[in-house]
Coordinates of all heavy atoms in Angstrom, one line a residue:
T380 N 1.3 9.1 -0.8 CA 1.2 7.7 -0.3 C 2.4 7.4 0.6 O 2.4 6.3 1.2 CB 1.1 6.7 -1.4 OG1 2.3 6.7 -2.2 CG2 -0.1 7.0 -2.3
A381 N 3.4 8.2 0.6 CA 4.5 8.0 1.5 C 4.1 8.0 3.0 O 4.8 7.5 3.8 CB 5.6 9.1 1.3
S382 N 3.0 8.6 3.2 CA 2.4 8.7 4.6 C 3.3 9.2 5.6 O 3.3 8.8 6.8 CB 2.0 7.2 5.0 OG 1.1 6.6 4.1
T487 N 7.7 0.3 -3.6 CA 7.1 0.0 -2.3 C 6.1 1.1 -2.0 O 5.7 1.9 -2.9 CB 8.1 -0.1 -1.2 OG1 7.5 -0.5 0.0 CG2 8.9 1.3 -1.0
V488 N 5.5 1.2 -0.8 CA 4.5 2.1 -0.4 C 4.7 2.6 1.0 O 5.5 2.1 1.7 CB 3.1 1.5 -0.6 CG1 2.8 1.2 -2.0 CG2 2.9 0.3 0.3
A489 N 3.8 3.5 1.4 CA 3.7 3.9 2.8 C 5.1 4.3 3.3 O 5.9 4.9 2.6 CB 3.1 2.8 3.7
M490 N 5.5 4.0 4.6 CA 6.8 4.5 5.1 C 7.9 3.7 4.5 O 9.1 4.1 4.7 CB 6.8 4.5 6.6 CG 6.1 5.7 7.2 SD 6.9 7.2 7.0 CE 8.2 7.1 8.4
G491 N 7.7 2.6 3.8 CA 8.8 2.1 3.0 C 9.2 3.1 2.0 O 10.4 3.3 1.7
E524 N 10.8 -3.6 4.3 CA 9.8 -4.6 4.5 C 8.5 -4.0 5.0 O 8.5 -3.3 6.0 CB 10.3 -5.6 5.5 CG 9.4 -6.8 5.8 CD 9.6 -7.9 4.7 OE1 10.5 -8.8 4.9 OE2 8.8 -8.0 3.8
V525 N 7.5 -4.1 4.2 CA 6.2 -3.5 4.5 C 5.2 -4.6 4.7 O 4.9 -5.3 3.8 CB 5.7 -2.5 3.4 CG1 4.3 -1.9 3.8 CG2 6.7 -1.4 3.2
L526 N 4.7 -4.8 5.9 CA 3.7 -5.8 6.2 C 2.5 -5.2 6.8 O 2.5 -4.2 7.5 CB 4.4 -6.8 7.3 CG 5.6 -7.5 6.8 CD1 6.2 -8.3 8.0 CD2 5.4 -8.4 5.6
F527 N 1.3 -5.8 6.5 CA 0.1 -5.3 7.0 C -1.0 -6.4 7.1 O -0.9 -7.5 6.5 CB -0.4 -4.1 6.2 CG -0.8 -4.4 4.8 CD1 -2.1 -4.6 4.4 CD2 0.2 -4.6 3.8 CE1 -2.5 -4.8 3.1 CE2 -0.2 -4.8 2.5 CZ -1.5 -5.0 2.1
A528 N -2.0 -6.2 8.0 CA -3.1 -7.0 8.1 C -4.4 -6.2 8.0 O -4.4 -5.1 8.5 CB -3.0 -7.7 9.5
V529 N -5.4 -6.7 7.4 CA -6.6 -6.0 7.2 C -7.8 -6.8 7.9 O -7.7 -8.0 8.0 CB -6.9 -5.8 5.7 CG1 -5.9 -4.9 5.1 CG2 -7.0 -7.1 5.0
D530 N -8.8 -6.1 8.2 CA -10.0 -6.7 8.8 C -10.8 -7.5 7.7 O -11.4 -8.5 8.0 CB -10.9 -5.7 9.4 CG -10.5 -5.3 10.8 OD1 -9.5 -5.9 11.3 OD2 -11.1 -4.4 11.4
P556 N -4.9 -13.3 6.1 CA -3.6 -13.2 5.6 C -2.8 -12.1 6.2 O -3.3 -11.0 6.5 CB -3.8 -12.9 4.1 CG -5.1 -12.1 4.0 CD -5.9 -12.7 5.2
V557 N -1.5 -12.3 6.4 CA -0.5 -11.2 6.6 C 0.0 -10.9 5.2 O 0.5 -11.8 4.5 CB 0.6 -11.7 7.5 CG1 1.7 -10.6 7.6 CG2 0.1 -12.0 8.9
L558 N -0.2 -9.7 4.8 CA 0.2 -9.2 3.5 C 1.5 -8.4 3.5 O 1.8 -7.8 4.5 CB -0.9 -8.4 2.9 CG -2.3 -9.1 2.8 CD1 -3.4 -8.0 2.4 CD2 -2.3 -10.2 1.9
G559 N 2.2 -8.4 2.4 CA 3.4 -7.7 2.3 C 3.6 -7.1 0.9 O 2.9 -7.5 -0.1
V560 N 4.4 -6.0 0.8 CA 4.7 -5.4 -0.5 C 6.1 -5.9 -0.9 O 7.1 -5.6 -0.2 CB 4.7 -3.9 -0.4 CG1 5.0 -3.2 -1.7 CG2 3.3 -3.4 0.1
L565 N 1.6 -6.7 -4.2 CA 1.1 -7.4 -3.0 C 1.3 -8.9 -3.0 O 1.1 -9.5 -4.0 CB -0.4 -7.1 -2.8 CG -0.8 -5.6 -2.6 CD1 -2.3 -5.5 -2.3 CD2 0.0 -5.0 -1.4
A574 N -8.0 -12.5 12.9 CA -7.5 -11.1 12.7 C -6.5 -10.7 13.7 O -5.5 -10.0 13.4 CB -8.7 -10.2 12.6
A577 N -3.2 -12.2 13.0 CA -2.6 -11.5 11.8 C -1.9 -10.3 12.3 O -0.7 -10.0 11.9 CB -3.6 -11.2 10.8
R578 N -2.5 -9.5 13.2 CA -1.9 -8.3 13.7 C -0.7 -8.6 14.5 O 0.3 -7.9 14.4 CB -2.9 -7.5 14.5 CG -4.1 -6.8 13.6 CD -4.9 -5.8 14.4 NE -5.7 -6.5 15.5 CZ -6.9 -6.9 15.3 NH1 -7.5 -6.8 14.1 NH2 -7.6 -7.5 16.2
E579 N -0.8 -9.6 15.3 CA 0.4 -10.0 16.1 C 1.6 -10.4 15.2 O 2.7 -10.0 15.5 CB 0.0 -11.2 17.0 CG -0.9 -10.8 18.1 CD -1.4 -12.1 18.9 OE1 -1.0 -13.2 18.5 OE2 -2.1 -11.9 19.9
R580 N 1.3 -11.1 14.1 CA 2.4 -11.6 13.3 C 3.0 -10.4 12.5 O 4.2 -10.4 12.3 CB 1.8 -12.6 12.2 CG 1.6 -13.9 12.8 CD 2.8 -14.5 13.4 NE 3.8 -15.0 12.4 CZ 5.1 -15.1 12.7 NH1 5.6 -14.8 13.8 NH2 5.9 -15.5 11.7
V581 N 2.3 -9.4 12.2 CA 2.9 -8.2 11.6 C 3.9 -7.6 12.5 O 5.1 -7.3 12.1 CB 1.8 -7.1 11.3 CG1 2.5 -5.8 11.0 CG2 0.9 -7.5 10.2
V582 N 3.6 -7.5 13.8 CA 4.6 -7.0 14.8 C 5.7 -7.9 15.0 O 6.9 -7.5 15.0 CB 3.9 -6.7 16.1 CG1 4.9 -6.3 17.2 CG2 2.8 -5.6 16.0
E583 N 5.5 -9.2 15.1 CA 6.5 -10.2 15.3 C 7.5 -10.3 14.1 O 8.7 -10.3 14.3 CB 5.9 -11.6 15.5 CG 5.2 -11.7 16.9 CD 4.3 -13.0 16.9 OE1 4.3 -13.7 15.9 OE2 3.7 -13.2 18.0
L584 N 7.0 -10.2 12.9 CA 7.8 -10.4 11.8 C 8.7 -9.1 11.6 O 9.9 -9.2 11.2 CB 7.0 -10.6 10.5 CG 6.3 -12.0 10.4 CD1 5.3 -12.0 9.3 CD2 7.3 -13.1 10.2
V585 N 8.1 -7.9 11.8 CA 8.9 -6.7 11.6 C 10.0 -6.6 12.7 O 11.1 -6.3 12.5 CB 8.0 -5.5 11.6 CG1 8.8 -4.2 11.8 CG2 7.2 -5.4 10.3
A586 N 9.6 -7.0 14.0 CA 10.6 -7.0 15.1 C 11.7 -8.0 14.8 O 12.9 -7.6 15.0 CB 9.9 -7.4 16.4
V597 N 12.0 2.1 11.9 CA 10.8 1.3 12.0 C 9.6 2.2 12.1 O 9.7 3.3 12.7 CB 10.8 0.3 13.2 CG1 9.5 -0.5 13.3 CG2 12.0 -0.6 13.1
A598 N 8.5 1.9 11.4 CA 7.3 2.7 11.5 C 6.1 1.8 11.7 O 6.0 0.7 11.2 CB 7.1 3.5 10.2
V599 N 5.1 2.4 12.4 CA 3.8 1.7 12.5 C 2.7 2.6 11.9 O 2.7 3.8 12.2 CB 3.4 1.5 14.0 CG1 2.0 1.0 14.2 CG2 4.4 0.5 14.6
H600 N 1.8 2.0 11.1 CA 0.8 2.8 10.5 C -0.6 2.5 11.0 O -0.8 1.3 11.4 CB 0.7 2.5 8.9 CG 1.8 3.1 8.2 ND1 2.0 4.5 8.1 CD2 2.8 2.6 7.4 CE1 3.0 4.8 7.3 NE2 3.5 3.6 6.9
H601 N -1.5 3.4 11.0 CA -2.8 3.2 11.5 C -3.8 4.0 10.6 O -3.3 4.9 9.8 CB -3.0 3.7 12.9 CG -2.8 5.1 13.1 ND1 -3.9 6.0 13.1 CD2 -1.7 5.9 13.3 CE1 -3.5 7.2 13.3 NE2 -2.1 7.2 13.4
L602 N -5.0 3.8 10.7 CA -6.0 4.6 10.0 C -7.1 5.0 11.0 O -8.0 4.3 11.3 CB -6.7 3.8 8.9 CG -7.6 4.6 7.9 CD1 -6.7 5.6 7.1 CD2 -8.2 3.6 6.9
G603 N -6.9 6.2 11.6 CA -7.8 6.7 12.6 C -7.7 6.0 13.9 O -8.7 6.2 14.8
E604 N -6.7 5.3 14.2 CA -6.5 4.6 15.5 C -5.1 4.9 16.1 O -4.3 4.0 16.3 CB -6.7 3.1 15.4 CG -8.2 2.8 14.9 CD -8.4 1.3 14.9 OE1 -7.9 0.6 13.9 OE2 -9.0 0.8 15.8
P605 N -4.8 6.1 16.5 CA -3.5 6.4 16.9 C -3.1 5.8 18.3 O -2.0 5.4 18.5 CB -3.5 8.0 17.1 CG -5.0 8.3 17.2 CD -5.7 7.3 16.4
R607 N -4.0 2.7 19.4 CA -3.6 1.3 19.1 C -2.2 1.3 18.4 O -1.4 0.5 18.8 CB -4.6 0.6 18.3 CG -4.2 -0.9 18.0 CD -5.3 -1.7 17.5 NE -5.7 -1.5 16.2 CZ -6.4 -2.3 15.4 NH1 -7.0 -3.4 16.0 NH2 -6.7 -2.0 14.2
A608 N -2.0 2.2 17.5 CA -0.7 2.3 16.8 C 0.4 2.6 17.8 O 1.5 2.1 17.7 CB -0.7 3.3 15.7
G609 N 0.1 3.5 18.8 CA 1.1 3.9 19.8 C 1.5 2.7 20.6 O 2.6 2.5 21.0
E610 N 0.5 1.8 21.0 CA 0.7 0.6 21.7 C 1.6 -0.3 21.0 O 2.6 -0.9 21.5 CB -0.6 0.0 22.1 CG -1.4 0.8 23.1 CD -2.8 0.2 23.3 OE1 -3.1 -0.9 22.6 OE2 -3.6 0.7 24.0
L611 N 1.3 -0.5 19.7 CA 2.2 -1.4 18.9 C 3.6 -0.8 18.7 O 4.6 -1.6 18.7 CB 1.5 -1.5 17.5 CG 0.2 -2.3 17.4 CD1 -0.3 -2.3 16.0 CD2 0.3 -3.7 18.0
A612 N 3.7 0.5 18.6 CA 5.0 1.1 18.5 C 5.8 0.8 19.8 O 7.0 0.5 19.7 CB 4.9 2.6 18.3
L615 N 7.1 -2.7 19.6 CA 8.2 -2.9 18.7 C 9.4 -2.3 19.2 O 10.5 -2.8 19.0 CB 7.8 -2.2 17.3 CG 7.0 -3.1 16.4 CD1 6.5 -2.2 15.2 CD2 7.8 -4.2 15.8
V626 N 10.6 4.4 17.0 CA 9.6 3.9 16.1 C 8.7 5.0 15.7 O 8.0 5.6 16.6 CB 8.8 2.7 16.7 CG1 7.8 2.2 15.7 CG2 9.8 1.6 17.1
H627 N 8.6 5.3 14.4 CA 7.6 6.3 13.9 C 6.2 5.8 14.0 O 5.9 4.6 13.7 CB 7.9 6.7 12.5 CG 9.3 7.2 12.2 ND1 9.8 8.4 12.6 CD2 10.4 6.6 11.6 CE1 11.0 8.6 12.3 NE2 11.4 7.5 11.7
V628 N 5.3 6.7 14.4 CA 3.9 6.4 14.3 C 3.3 7.3 13.2 O 3.4 8.5 13.4 CB 3.2 6.5 15.6 CG1 1.7 6.3 15.5 CG2 3.7 5.6 16.7
A629 N 2.6 6.7 12.2 CA 2.2 7.6 11.1 C 0.8 7.1 10.6 O 0.6 5.9 10.5 CB 3.2 7.5 9.9
E630 N -0.1 8.0 10.4 CA -1.4 7.6 9.8 C -1.2 7.3 8.4 O -0.4 7.9 7.6 CB -2.4 8.8 9.9 CG -3.8 8.4 9.5 CD -4.8 9.3 10.2 OE1 -4.8 10.5 10.0 OE2 -5.6 8.8 11.0
L631 N -1.9 6.2 8.0 CA -1.8 5.7 6.6 C -2.4 6.8 5.7 O -3.5 7.4 6.0 CB -2.5 4.4 6.5 CG -2.1 3.5 5.3 CD1 -0.7 3.1 5.3 CD2 -3.0 2.3 5.2
S632 N -1.9 6.9 4.5 CA -2.4 7.9 3.6 C -3.9 7.5 3.2 O -4.2 6.3 3.2 CB -1.6 8.0 2.3 OG -2.0 7.0 1.3
L635 N -4.1 4.9 0.3 CA -3.8 3.5 0.8 C -5.0 3.0 1.7 O -5.4 1.9 1.6 CB -2.5 3.4 1.5 CG -1.3 3.8 0.7 CD1 0.0 3.7 1.5 CD2 -1.1 3.0 -0.6
G636 N -5.5 3.9 2.5 CA -6.6 3.6 3.4 C -7.8 3.2 2.7 O -8.5 2.3 3.1
V639 N -7.3 -0.5 1.7 CA -7.2 -1.6 2.8 C -8.3 -1.5 3.8 O -8.6 -2.5 4.4 CB -5.8 -1.5 3.5 CG1 -4.7 -1.7 2.5 CG2 -5.7 -0.1 4.2
G640 N -9.0 -0.3 4.0 CA -10.1 -0.2 4.8 C -9.8 0.0 6.3 O -8.7 -0.1 6.7
P641 N -10.9 0.2 7.1 CA -10.7 0.4 8.5 C -10.1 -0.8 9.2 O -10.3 -1.9 8.7 CB -12.2 0.7 9.0 CG -12.9 1.1 7.8 CD -12.3 0.4 6.6
G642 N -9.4 -0.6 10.3 CA -8.9 -1.7 11.1 C -7.5 -2.2 10.6 O -7.0 -3.1 11.2
V643 N -7.0 -1.5 9.6 CA -5.7 -2.0 9.1 C -4.6 -1.7 10.2 O -4.6 -0.8 10.9 CB -5.3 -1.2 7.8 CG1 -5.2 0.3 8.0 CG2 -4.0 -1.8 7.2
V644 N -3.6 -2.7 10.2 CA -2.4 -2.5 11.0 C -1.2 -2.8 10.1 O -1.2 -3.8 9.4 CB -2.4 -3.5 12.2 CG1 -1.0 -3.5 12.8 CG2 -3.4 -3.1 13.2
A645 N -0.3 -1.8 10.0 CA 0.8 -2.0 9.1 C 2.1 -1.6 9.9 O 2.1 -0.7 10.8 CB 0.7 -1.1 7.9
A646 N 3.2 -2.3 9.5 CA 4.5 -1.9 10.1 C 5.6 -2.0 9.0 O 5.4 -2.8 8.1 CB 4.9 -2.8 11.3
V647 N 6.6 -1.2 9.2 CA 7.6 -1.1 8.2 C 9.0 -1.1 8.8 O 9.2 -0.5 9.9 CB 7.5 0.3 7.4 CG1 8.6 0.4 6.3 CG2 6.1 0.4 6.8
V648 N 10.0 -1.7 8.2 CA 11.3 -1.7 8.6 C 12.2 -1.4 7.4 O 11.9 -2.0 6.3 CB 11.8 -2.9 9.4 CG1 11.6 -4.2 8.5 CG2 13.2 -2.8 9.9

Side-chain angles (χ1 to χ4, degrees):
T380 66
S382 304
T487 188
V488 296
M490 281 290 279
E524 182 83 82
V525 178
L526 299 174
F527 64 102
V529 295
D530 279 352
V557 175
L558 304 171
V560 181
L565 297 184
R578 290 191 290 268
E579 289 173 357
R580 286 301 288 156
V581 167
V582 173
E583 290 169 357
L584 290 168
V585 167
V597 179
V599 173
H600 285 297
H601 67 93
L602 191 62
E604 297 186 284
R607 181 164 74 166
E610 292 170 0
L611 294 178
L615 276 169
V626 177
H627 302 287
V628 176
E630 188 153 64
L631 200 63
S632 87
L635 300 180
V639 296
V643 63
V644 169
V647 180
V648 58

